[in-house]
Amino acid sequence: MRARFVVAALAAALAIPAVLARVSGGDAGRPCSLQLVKLDTDGCTVVAADTAASGDAAGLWGSVDCADVSRQQRVARGGDPHTFATGRRQSNDAYRRVTVVDGDDFFGERCELGHNNLSEPTFARFEEGDRAVTFASFRFPRGFPLRSPMWQAVLQMKQTQPSANGGGAPILELDARDGRLMLFDNWHRVWSTPVRHRLWVRVALDVRYSQDPQRGTARIYVDANGDGDAGDRGERSRLFHLRTLKSETEGGTADDGIAPGEPIPSHLRAGIYHDPSYLCLPQRPCALHLDNVQVVEAGS
Ligand SMILES: [Ca+2]
Ligand SMILES: [Ca+2]
């Protein structure tokens, strides 16, 4: 009883929505139409968006988790040419460039956008029962080590702290390595497709969030050849039934706000987080280009 109260009180106190407040869309006259092979969610409600329209990444994402704030920069020209999630053009040609250099240590060698805290603002948070499509566009410049087999995340849906089971494997993760973009569930690789350098690759990840593998689903769409759709060979996965939220550790306490056995909300992170043995020299840092990120409500 106490545990349930704590969870309810925390949720009420924080007014945690299913995902963050709406940004745009939800046009009353048009139904929400998921056409994910076309990378389009016309008429749907966008709850979080970053097209690099401004330099304020920390304001949008809650935190720039990099060794130094200068590791994240807005570049004014050369951004992702793909449309916004709802089919309209982006309002700008800018993108974000994140870099890591050997020796960087922000809880590991990383430069990621996103704030890992259950009670503080972050870009997007996913809870039990939500269904959302997360879009993101990546470009792997020459300075991005795409061919190595070592682990290298570019996007995470990571269980949020504070929680006893918040550490360890992210429940969902996209890696770029071995020349491929790979989807992992709790460190188990479930799908991958070849990607290449110097091309904007757009990803849409359609997820039903649940700690119950019978209820959780994930399907990924990737425009790997940059022609504007996810309709080409190898550009979309089947529907996976799997656990898409972690559960709080059994036998713990509810003092952190999540009772044992309850689902832990995940938050979105994007950027580089990789094995520190990657060679990222100061004169040639490991760099990733990121643009056109949206989270779209997708019903049930
Ligand atoms: Ca942009
Ligand atoms: Ca394509």
Side-chain angles (χ1 to χ4, degrees), residues 50 57-63 96 113-115 121-123 268-270 293:
D50 181 12
L60 269 175
W61 288 82
S63 185
R96 300 196 190 282
L113 307 179
H115 188 38
T122 191
F123 185 76
L268 184 66
R269 310 180 61 77
V293 186

Side-chain angles (χ1 to χ4, degrees), residues 7 11 29 102 107 145 153 175 185 213 249 254 263 268:
V7 172
D102 290 342
F107 300 97
D175 272 32
D185 179 65
T249 310
L268 184 66

Side-chain angles (χ1 to χ4, degrees), residues 11 23 30 43 53 64 71 104 159 162 165 170 178 186 189 195 210 245 253 265 290 295:
V23 173
R30 287 211 314 277
V64 174
R71 297 275 193 267
D104 283 0
Q159 55 280 2
N165 200 23
D178 254 346
N186 205 18
R189 187 169 110 174
V195 289
S210 179
L245 290 177
T253 74
L290 174 69
V295 176

Side-chain angles (χ1 to χ4, degrees), residues 37 39 82 222-233 235:
V37 172
L39 301 168
H82 287 91
V222 179
D223 182 15
N225 66 0
D227 71 349
D229 66 37
D232 301 290
R233 183 181 175 85
E235 289 195 326

Side-chain angles (χ1 to χ4, degrees), residues 135-147:
F135 290 87
S137 296
F138 302 98
R139 186 168 57 188
F140 310 109
R142 286 189 192 281
F144 184 90
L146 184 59
R147 304 290 175 207

Side-chain angles (χ1 to χ4, degrees), residues 228-245:
D229 66 37
D232 301 290
R233 183 181 175 85
E235 289 195 326
R236 59 194 185 278
S237 76
R238 67 177 175 85
L239 182 70
F240 297 106
H241 293 266
L242 35 74
R243 195 184 306 277
T244 51
L245 290 177

Side-chain angles (χ1 to χ4, degrees), residues 264-284:
I264 305 174
S266 285
H267 71 291
L268 184 66
R269 310 180 61 77
I272 297 175
Y273 177 35
H274 68 190
D275 190 314
S277 57
Y278 276 98
L279 190 64
C280 306
L281 300 173
Q283 65 272 28
R284 194 175 187 276

